[in-house]
């Protein structure tokens, strides 16, 4: 049997979370290798692209979270077979990666510099992406982003909106999604209540 080992931070979120949920839904066992920030810093220079998540497949490392969630998503029935719906799914994944990168640029700032950068994000990139994503949700029919069903695009959007509304990001108003793109808040609740997603989190607690 193929051996899977997923390395990422010890948080129930971030770029690896859709991959973990997809593994759970696929019913495919994997090693959930959760590391501390210190362990990451020690290993950083040995990692391809100096980043996590990394999925080792029979010991061979593969990177890029969206490619990985698409790969495991296919095993889980969470990735469209129709090429156009697959494109719609990938568009959402790519937009969420871009938004994550905009926010990631501010993660190591402090004090006034952090406040200024986050306020700029809250006035600029975040609403731009939230509006675009709500358009993509509407295009998908309003409930899901693609294929009229749960896909890895919904999982990644769910994790992103949960992050934005969590209060974890200082200087980002927690009601930013409600104010700019209320349908994404409804989408978040819909995905949280999706039985396969809820079962994953029930197993975590
Ligand atoms: N495009 C990559 C980006 C990976 C990435 O930036 N990961 C972050 C953690 S979520 C990281 O390892 N950052 C390196 C650092 O903080 O030094 C992906 O989607 O996997």
């Amino acid at each position: 049997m193929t051996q899977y080992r997923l390395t990422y931070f010890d948080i129930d979120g971030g770029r690896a979370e859709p991959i973990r949920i997809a593994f759970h839904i696929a019913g495919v066992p994997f090693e959930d290798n959760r590391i501390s920030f210190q362990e990451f810093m020690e290993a950083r220079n040995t990692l391809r692209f100096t980043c996590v998540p990394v999925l080792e497949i029979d010991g061979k490392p593969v990177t890029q979270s969206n490619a990985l969630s698409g790969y495991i998503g296919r095993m889980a029935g969470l990735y469209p077979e129709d090429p156009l719906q697959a494109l719609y799914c990938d568009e959402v994944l790519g937009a969420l990666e871009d938004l994550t990168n905009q926010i990631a640029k501010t993660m190591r700032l402090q004090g006034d510099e952090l406040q200024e950068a986050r306020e700029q994000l809250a006035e600029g990139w975040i609403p731009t992406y939230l509006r675009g994503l709500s358009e993509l949700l509407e295009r998908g029919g309003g409930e899901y982003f693609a294929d009229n069903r749960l896909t890895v695009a919904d999982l990644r959007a769910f994790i992103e909106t949960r992050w934005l509304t969590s209060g974890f990001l200082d200087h980002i108003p927690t009601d930013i999604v409600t104010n700019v793109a209320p349908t994404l808040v409804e989408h978040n609740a819909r995905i949280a209540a999706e039985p396969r997603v809820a079962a994953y989190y029930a197993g975590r607690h």
Side-chain angles (χ1 to χ4, degrees), residues 35 38-47:
I35 58 172
Q38 194 183 328
E39 287 169 315
F40 167 74
M41 289 311 283
E42 283 161 17
R44 191 171 182 270
N45 290 332
T46 69
L47 301 171

Side-chain angles (χ1 to χ4, degrees), residues 8-9 15 40 44 50-53 64-66 97 108:
Y8 194 65
F9 298 116
R15 287 177 169 102
F40 167 74
R44 191 171 182 270
T50 68
C51 283
V52 285
Q64 301 305 323
S65 57
N66 287 341
E97 175 64 12
R108 290 184 193 161

